Amino acid sequence: MWKQFLSKLPRKSPASGDSGQCSNGTGIQRTTSCGSIPPGRPASAIRRMSSAVFPSSVVAGIEPLVSFKDVPNSEKQNLFVSKLSLCCVVFDFSDPNKSSVEKDIKRQALLDLIEFVESSSARFSEAAIAACARMCAINLFRAFPPNYRSGSSGGGEGDEDEPMFDPAWCHLQLVYELLLKFIGSSSLDAKVGKKHFDHSFIVKLLNLLDSEDPRERDCLKTILHRVYGKFMVHRPFIRKAVSNIFYQFVFETDRHNGIAELLEVFGSVISGFALPLKEEHKIFLWRVLIPLHKPKSVGLYLQQLTYCVTQFLEKDPKLASSVIIGLLRYWPITNCQKEVMFLSEIEEILESTSQAEFQKCMVSLFRRIAHCITSSHFQVAERALFVWNNDHIISLIAQNRQVIMPLVVPALEQNIQNHWNQAVLNLTMNVKKMFSEMDEDLFSSCLDKYKEDEEKRASLEVKRKLTWEKLESAAAFQPVTGHTAVLVGHQLSAKMIATLI
């Protein structure tokens, strides 16, 4: 049908100003990489030759290649539907030379549709809404090729991996732009639109966020935000669907390309939550946002995740202690890079933490910080010591120094005696001096207690060593029989140990 149509097709020049890249104010960058349309024919020729391809029963007698300015206002909705029908044909972009003229025609039709939606002031009919939803679904909802999903763990975890760009983007971006403008148009009645942009449409739209093309994810992020704002009735479903994506990522697949974009959308959603917070929203914090710290690829979306968490704390500061305890539960014991990230997030959370909430978690928190201070990885130790550069945190520590100082002073002394990195040693001395000036008597008491504990530990170590030497010596003179334990290193039977001791 396309070849029959193209043999009679009018030649139309591309719209002016549509070359290279241009920003259209929606966050979608429009590019032209699919060629251009040759110069045109008169509109009368267009009308004559299209009737065989688009019968009047389908397009209400309106030729789809006619410009909107060439038809009366009463016929523009029908022309809109006709052009949408024309754009329902999907082309293969793996070969740039295949169907190049047809692709140019579709591209021009999409540009016409975008221009019409931008300038339209009349309400869209339900037929127009249904046709737009159908055209977007046909063009956008697709299965990704296998190479989009191979060799990727944790949502494109490897920072060195080159992003994969969809060759059909020159058309896809126009469909996304049309969808964005259509959803955001004041001419779209939300009560009618919700029937066609329904739950099934939203789920398929969310599934596209797993695309490896960053341009597509950026468009989807903007559209998802617009859909959430336009169709209030769909908001609970969108939150549930996004939660399910997060659950699957954290507890099943450990890979998804659009986690950062989803969190970016939800950052603004959380900021709009009404007070007091619903239980549903608190559950989202505890069961979704906190576990999202678990995947090894958390560094790819930590900035957006931290923003979401801090938005919750701005809404309800009483959640601070439960958030900190949750982070300690998922603390990355064997991943130094993640430890540095967690320490940075902890500091940001503590900046907005009240005294009462701080006291609920300070013991477990500073036990972990003390452990980080003595880390042999200098970046972890350095980041933990940088906590004392924050005035608000120093204030919290000073008011609770009776509890915190005994936890931290031993770690500082261990660093001074054993750490290999000079920068860490300098920071350790600064914190030690700060504690000494904060409460000299308490600091001296903690220091004396540390020295006493070290002497006891050394004494116990000597006693333990002597005991093992005694056991080895005694075992060496024992005759080897069928019922006698044989000494292998420090492996002795409990009965022999009890006898010798």
Side-chain angles (χ1 to χ4, degrees):
M1 185 174 77
W2 270 101
K3 289 185 178 179
Q4 177 190 359
F5 178 51
L6 290 170
S7 66
K8 308 175 182 179
L9 204 67
R11 306 296 182 183
K12 193 173 182 181
S13 60
S16 60
D18 184 34
S19 61
Q21 291 190 356
C22 66
S23 175
N24 49 43
T26 63
I28 297 178
Q29 292 290 324
R30 189 185 297 172
T31 61
T32 54
S33 56
C34 295
S36 58
I37 303 173
R41 281 187 196 171
S44 58
I46 300 175
R47 295 188 183 93
R48 286 197 305 272
M49 62 185 62
S50 66
S51 59
V53 181
F54 294 94
S56 59
S57 59
V58 178
V59 297
I62 300 297
E63 164 57 51
L65 296 181
V66 174
S67 174
F68 281 101
K69 64 183 179 182
D70 293 333
V71 298
N73 290 336
S74 59
E75 295 294 339
K76 286 185 177 180
Q77 293 275 339
N78 288 333
L79 179 57
F80 182 71
V81 173
S82 177
K83 286 181 180 287
L84 288 169
S85 299
L86 178 69
C87 294
C88 285
V89 179
V90 179
F91 297 103
D92 178 13
F93 283 85
S94 58
D95 181 0
N97 298 319
K98 185 178 179 181
S99 306
S100 57
V101 179
E102 294 96 323
K103 293 172 184 175
D104 287 338
I105 296 164
K106 180 179 176 181
R107 178 178 174 79
Q108 186 58 50
L110 287 168
L111 291 169
D112 291 344
L113 289 168
I114 292 169
E115 184 179 357
F116 174 73
V117 171
E118 283 183 314
S119 60
S120 177
S121 57
R123 288 275 180 178
F124 291 117
S125 64
E126 184 163 0
I129 296 171
C132 186
R134 177 174 174 270
M135 189 278 291
C136 291
I138 289 173
N139 281 274
L140 300 178
F141 301 155
R142 65 205 189 279
F144 295 124
N147 60 345
Y148 273 65
R149 295 181 176 273
S150 62
S152 178
S153 172
E157 179 191 352
D159 292 338
E160 297 179 358
D161 294 344
E162 289 292 331
M164 300 187 68
F165 298 109
D166 196 316
W169 181 246
C170 54
H171 276 195
L172 289 175
Q173 65 169 344
L174 295 178
V175 178
Y176 277 121
E177 185 177 346
L178 175 62
L179 178 59
L180 177 62
K181 292 184 181 298
F182 191 78
I183 294 291
S185 174
S186 58
S187 299
L188 174 63
D189 187 346
K191 293 181 180 178
V192 180
K194 70 181 181 182
K195 296 189 295 184
H196 301 282
F197 298 100
D198 56 6
H199 290 180
S200 175
F201 188 95
I202 290 169
V203 167
K204 292 175 182 177
L205 201 66
L206 289 171
N207 289 339
L208 291 174
L209 274 162
D210 201 15
S211 168
E212 289 197 14
D213 192 327
R215 302 168 301 180
E216 182 167 19
R217 297 200 304 270
D218 193 57
C219 290
L220 285 161
K221 173 187 67 178
T222 309
I223 290 169
L224 178 60
H225 194 278
R226 193 66 56 86
V227 169
Y228 190 90
K230 185 79 172 185
F231 305 113
M232 294 184 65
V233 68
H234 290 333
R235 289 182 180 181
F237 177 81
I238 293 174
R239 292 196 297 267
K240 183 178 180 181
V242 172
S243 295
N244 289 337
I245 292 175
F246 288 142
Y247 289 143
Q248 189 177 33
F249 168 66
V250 173
F251 300 111
E252 294 181 20
T253 64
D254 197 30
R255 67 150 318 280
H256 194 285
N257 293 303
I259 299 300
E261 286 79 9
L262 285 170
L263 287 170
E264 192 168 337
V265 172
F266 262 72
S268 57
V269 169
I270 293 166
S271 65
F273 285 163
L275 295 176
L277 287 174
K278 295 180 181 178
E279 193 64 22
E280 170 205 343
H281 302 327
K282 294 180 182 178
I283 290 173
F284 179 79
L285 170 64
W286 295 323
R287 296 185 183 176
V288 177
L289 295 184
I290 299 302
L292 274 171
H293 290 82
K294 177 183 176 182
K296 57 185 178 181
S297 59
V298 64
L300 298 177
Y301 55 82
L302 183 67
Q303 180 181 355
Q304 294 85 352
L305 180 58
T306 301
Y307 180 76
C308 288
V309 171
T310 53
Q311 285 296 300
F312 264 106
L313 298 183
E314 285 185 16
K315 291 286 181 181
D316 188 353
K318 293 182 180 179
L319 296 171
S321 59
S322 61
V323 168
I324 291 173
I325 291 170
L327 291 178
L328 293 174
R329 187 183 303 124
Y330 290 101
W331 198 270
I333 303 298
T334 60
N335 189 325
C336 295
Q337 289 182 336
K338 281 183 68 175
E339 265 194 298
V340 173
M341 296 176 195
F342 272 52
L343 286 165
S344 298
E345 185 172 5
I346 286 287
E347 180 176 346
E348 192 167 342
I349 291 170
L350 286 175
E351 286 180 355
S352 57
T353 301
S354 65
Q355 181 69 230
E357 290 299 310
F358 178 75
Q359 290 175 347
K360 294 178 184 177
C361 60
M362 61 184 179
V363 174
S364 54
L365 173 60
F366 275 87
R367 279 177 181 162
R368 173 53 55 193
I369 290 177
H371 183 78
C372 292
I373 287 173
T374 58
S375 173
S376 57
H377 194 291
F378 78 97
Q379 289 178 330
V380 175
E382 192 174 54
R383 189 64 191 81
L385 290 163
F386 277 148
V387 167
W388 274 265
N389 287 344
N390 189 295
D391 292 338
H392 180 67
I393 296 176
I394 290 176
S395 173
L396 293 173
I397 292 172
Q399 295 176 64
N400 298 276
R401 58 186 180 276
Q402 297 289 341
V403 175
I404 294 173
M405 205 176 287
L407 299 174
V408 178
V409 167
L412 298 176
E413 286 300 309
Q414 288 178 39
N415 262 16
I416 291 171
Q417 295 174 16
N418 303 317
H419 209 283
W420 63 273
N421 185 270
Q422 188 60 47
V424 171
L425 289 174
N426 293 339
L427 288 170
T428 302
M429 293 299 297
N430 291 340
V431 174
K432 181 178 178 181
K433 181 181 178 182
M434 194 179 300
F435 272 151
S436 177
E437 294 173 352
M438 186 182 295
D439 191 329
E440 187 174 356
D441 292 340
L442 178 60
F443 177 77
S444 299
S445 174
C446 292
L447 201 57
D448 292 342
K449 180 69 166 55
Y450 167 75
K451 292 178 180 177
E452 182 181 337
D453 290 342
E454 282 296 294
E455 289 175 359
K456 287 181 180 179
R457 188 189 64 78
S459 176
L460 287 172
E461 183 63 28
V462 170
K463 183 178 179 181
R464 177 178 175 275
K465 186 176 180 180
L466 291 173
T467 300
W468 278 114
E469 289 175 353
K470 181 180 177 182
L471 288 170
E472 290 174 353
S473 177
F477 292 99
Q478 289 289 324
V480 179
T481 65
H483 301 287
T484 304
V486 178
L487 178 65
V488 180
H490 287 170
Q491 302 295 323
L492 291 176
S493 67
K495 182 177 180 181
M496 179 176 285
I497 293 174
T499 303
L500 293 173
I501 291 178

